[in-house]
Amino acid sequence: HVNTAQVIAQQLAALGIRVSIKLVDWPTWISEVYTARRYQATVISIDGVTLSPRSYLFRYETGEARNFINYSNPRFDDFYRRSLVAADEEARTALYKDMQRVLSDDAASVFICDISSAKAFRKGIKGFQQYPLYVFDASTLYMEEKTP
């Protein structure tokens, strides 16, 4: 996410805000940002284990160990707890939308973009496996054998 951080730094500089970018490897990010919370801002792609809104929203609950941005809002927490016990999908969906409005109003995180997942293959390529994340594993691809 280096290019993204550089663009953000340039945009902030235009507003008179000085930014220095500190590049870190993944183990350092995990220990210093995610675990120790020693940072002022971070650019990271957040994903979920599943494509459920809950797998993204849980990390904003006050006290959640994986809430690495230290977000806390009682309204969000109330909506989240209610979503865990909502009996039907329509009620859960409404609560998910309420949570997203709270996060947006608070600018808890800044959404930049979805990672592109478009893929194109020539005719005859087989073995493609779609993952719910931006991972692309080309090791499973093979060319269809042509029969004479």
Side-chain angles (χ1 to χ4, degrees):
H1 305 292
V2 175
N3 291 341
T4 303
Q6 289 171 338
V7 169
I8 292 168
Q10 289 171 354
Q11 291 173 340
L12 291 172
L15 298 172
I17 301 169
R18 292 183 322 155
V19 175
S20 61
I21 298 171
K22 179 180 177 185
L23 300 177
V24 297
D25 59 18
W26 187 241
T28 301
W29 189 90
I30 291 293
S31 67
E32 294 299 309
V33 176
Y34 191 81
T35 303
R37 314 292 206 262
R38 286 192 287 261
Y39 71 103
Q40 291 180 337
T42 186
V43 178
I44 189 74
S45 177
I46 295 178
D47 55 20
V49 175
T50 67
L51 295 179
S52 163
R54 185 179 298 163
S55 73
Y56 293 86
L57 295 169
F58 80 94
R59 76 183 73 246
Y60 293 96
E61 185 183 22
T62 302
E64 164 60 46
R66 293 162 289 185
N67 179 354
F68 69 91
I69 62 170
N70 301 313
Y71 178 74
S72 180
N73 183 311
R75 284 185 61 227
F76 178 90
D77 294 344
D78 177 57
F79 292 142
Y80 182 78
R81 283 188 215 100
R82 289 171 40 203
S83 77
L84 296 175
V85 296
D88 64 48
E89 187 174 345
E90 193 172 304
R92 268 191 314 281
T93 298
L95 289 164
Y96 291 151
K97 289 179 181 181
D98 289 337
M99 285 184 268
Q100 290 174 337
R101 279 187 209 94
V102 171
L103 292 173
S104 178
D105 290 345
D106 288 350
S109 291
V110 178
F111 173 81
I112 297 173
C113 70
D114 279 325
I115 297 172
S116 175
S117 62
K119 293 157 185 72
F121 300 101
R122 65 183 267 200
K123 188 176 181 176
I125 297 289
K126 302 290 182 189
F128 175 70
Q129 296 180 32
Q130 180 68 43
Y131 293 93
L133 308 172
Y134 60 89
V135 173
F136 172 62
D137 180 7
S139 70
T140 62
L141 301 179
Y142 61 94
M143 191 68 181
E144 181 178 48
E145 291 186 34
K146 295 182 182 184
T147 55

